[in-house]
Amino acid sequence: MRSASGSATIQVAVIAILITVGTLSLSDALAKLLSANFPLWQIFALRSLLTVPMILLILAGWYRSVSWRPRSLLWVSLRSLLMVAQAVVYYIALPKVDLSAVAATNYTMPLFVCIFAAVLLGDRVSPAVWAAVGLGFFGVLLIVQPATESFNSFALLPLAAAMLAALANLLTKAKCQGEHPLVISLNLNVALLATGLAATLVGLLWEQEPQTSQMAAYLLGGWSPMGQSEWVVIVIMAVSFVVGSVGAALAYQVGPPTTIATLDFAYIAFALLWGMLFFGEFPNAAAFLGIFSIIAAGLFVVRSRRFS
């Protein structure tokens, strides 16, 4: 029987990942809204310009004894590079693919987590957990309801993002156990800020004529002026990203990778919610069945891991 302290630790990880997927899905939905008028690198840079001071203030106010420098700068920085690459390919897909479809394709990630955990970490993945992951993937298929016209080259990018995220999450478990989640988040946001500013500079240096397509402007265009409503959206994105990035680091530090990976499927449900609110996307009966399948899979894994 699992100890009370072990059960409490898993509960903390479960709560952390659910908060994480809710806030990060909101941030991604807002990024999709902004992508019509603002380049990717402006979104990256402005969001991180706000998140970095937020994290520093939290560290200075409540965690004064925590060093801002990671204990293992190499591993934390490598994790940040993986997450930056994941964010780039994921955000490139957002303007061209429905939010729910991007989320569903990206959430093959738990399957990669299980495979990588077994191969790289020697994690024991029981048949019941594999079955639950399969049920979650079945739910994803019900939500996406693949149609030929829905799949284009951009729809494949979240698959690459899923592999990168799986590697980053397992690296957190294997090499970043002793790191404070806020320090991990700070490192990630500094990397995102640097990427946004560097890519903006490259775009300005190479831009020779006005961009003629929305995607070209999204990737290579200069920064656009910000109004009050756009700044409000950026602030919400920044707060969501701080909460989400810290929660993800905490969940994968203290929770079993396969359990947290399965609960990650809840991102799809949140993405559908934001899709309804922001883009008028209303799921049909099959999609609701998919959401139920995902939730059922997550609850089964939590119960089986808790009482095993």
Side-chain angles (χ1 to χ4, degrees):
M1 180 179 293
R2 190 180 297 277
S3 67
S5 60
S7 296
T9 299
I10 293 178
Q11 289 175 354
V12 169
V14 167
I15 293 171
I17 198 62
L18 290 177
I19 293 175
T20 292
V21 295
T23 54
L24 289 181
S25 62
L26 174 60
S27 180
D28 290 344
L30 294 175
K32 183 175 176 68
L33 282 174
L34 290 179
S35 66
N37 300 309
F38 297 91
L40 172 62
W41 314 117
Q42 182 177 359
I43 298 172
F44 267 35
L46 290 180
R47 182 182 63 182
S48 295
L49 277 173
L50 296 177
T51 55
V52 169
M54 287 182 192
I55 297 171
L56 290 176
L57 285 174
I58 295 173
L59 285 169
W62 286 277
Y63 300 95
R64 296 180 182 179
S65 62
V66 176
S67 172
W68 296 359
R69 188 181 187 278
R71 296 180 181 179
S72 178
L73 183 60
L74 172 64
W75 292 117
V76 173
S77 297
L78 178 58
R79 177 191 184 275
S80 293
L81 289 176
L82 288 170
M83 292 302 296
V84 168
Q86 184 270 343
V88 169
V89 295
Y90 186 87
Y91 274 50
I92 290 175
L94 278 178
K96 292 293 186 180
V97 185
D98 289 345
L99 182 61
S100 58
V102 174
T105 306
N106 185 56
Y107 270 78
T108 55
M109 187 268 289
L111 301 178
F112 289 114
V113 168
C114 288
I115 294 170
F116 294 157
V119 174
L120 301 178
L121 302 182
D123 193 38
R124 181 180 177 275
V125 182
S126 69
V129 171
W130 281 120
V133 172
L135 177 62
F137 185 69
F138 175 69
V140 170
L141 292 178
L142 287 176
I143 292 173
V144 176
Q145 301 168 36
T148 304
E149 62 272 13
S150 300
F151 288 90
N152 53 49
S153 58
F154 290 97
L156 299 176
L157 292 178
L159 190 63
M163 297 182 68
L164 291 166
L167 289 172
N169 288 331
L170 287 175
L171 183 62
T172 303
K173 182 71 175 180
K175 298 296 184 180
C176 303
Q177 281 280 352
E179 305 290 348
H180 195 283
L182 283 170
V183 176
I184 292 176
S185 182
L186 176 62
N187 188 279
L188 171 59
N189 280 278
V190 169
L192 287 168
L193 175 59
T195 301
L197 294 176
T200 296
L201 179 60
V202 171
L204 291 174
L205 292 175
W206 286 90
E207 185 177 19
Q208 298 179 357
E209 59 185 33
Q211 305 303 324
T212 57
S213 70
Q214 181 181 353
M215 180 53 64
Y218 183 56
L219 296 178
L220 299 174
W223 284 23
S224 301
M226 301 280 293
Q228 181 177 357
S229 60
E230 286 81 11
W231 277 111
V232 170
V233 170
I234 289 292
V235 170
I236 295 174
M237 289 179 62
V239 174
S240 298
F241 195 78
V242 169
V243 174
S245 59
V246 172
L250 175 63
Y252 277 94
Q253 277 184 326
V254 304
T258 47
T259 299
I260 302 306
T262 302
L263 288 175
D264 256 330
F265 274 123
Y267 181 102
I268 306 295
F270 284 107
L272 283 170
L273 174 62
W274 307 135
M276 287 189 289
L277 293 177
F278 298 146
F279 309 110
E281 300 172 353
F282 294 92
N284 55 25
F288 277 115
L289 178 59
I291 293 174
F292 176 79
S293 299
I294 292 167
I295 294 174
L299 291 176
F300 175 81
V301 170
V302 171
R303 181 176 177 82
S304 64
R305 299 288 286 188
R306 180 178 179 181
F307 294 104
S308 61

Coordinates of all heavy atoms in Angstrom, one line a residue, residues 104 120 143 231 250 298 303:
A104 N -5.2 18.2 -30.1 CA -5.3 16.8 -30.2 C -4.0 16.2 -30.8 O -3.5 15.2 -30.3 CB -6.5 16.4 -31.0
L120 N 14.2 5.2 -21.6 CA 15.3 6.0 -21.1 C 15.4 5.9 -19.6 O 16.5 6.0 -19.0 CB 15.1 7.4 -21.5 CG 15.1 7.7 -23.1 CD1 14.8 9.2 -23.3 CD2 16.4 7.2 -23.7
I143 N -12.6 13.5 -30.7 CA -12.7 14.9 -30.7 C -12.3 15.5 -32.1 O -12.9 16.4 -32.7 CB -11.8 15.5 -29.6 CG1 -12.4 15.2 -28.3 CG2 -11.7 17.1 -29.7 CD1 -11.6 15.5 -27.1
W231 N -2.7 44.8 -25.0 CA -1.9 44.7 -23.8 C -2.6 43.9 -22.7 O -1.9 43.1 -21.9 CB -1.6 46.1 -23.3 CG -0.4 46.7 -24.0 CD1 -0.4 47.8 -24.8 CD2 1.0 46.3 -23.9 NE1 0.8 48.1 -25.3 CE2 1.7 47.2 -24.7 CE3 1.6 45.3 -23.2 CZ2 3.1 47.1 -24.9 CZ3 3.0 45.2 -23.4 CH2 3.7 46.1 -24.2
L250 N 6.6 21.4 -11.6 CA 6.3 20.8 -10.3 C 5.7 19.4 -10.5 O 6.1 18.5 -9.9 CB 5.4 21.7 -9.5 CG 4.8 21.2 -8.2 CD1 6.0 20.9 -7.2 CD2 3.8 22.1 -7.6
G298 N -7.9 9.5 -17.4 CA -7.1 10.1 -16.3 C -7.5 9.7 -14.9 O -6.6 9.4 -14.1
R303 N -6.2 6.6 -10.0 CA -6.6 5.6 -9.0 C -5.7 4.4 -9.0 O -5.3 3.9 -7.9 CB -8.1 5.1 -9.3 CG -8.6 4.1 -8.3 CD -10.0 3.7 -8.5 NE -10.5 2.7 -7.6 CZ -10.9 2.9 -6.4 NH1 -10.9 4.1 -5.9 NH2 -11.3 1.9 -5.6

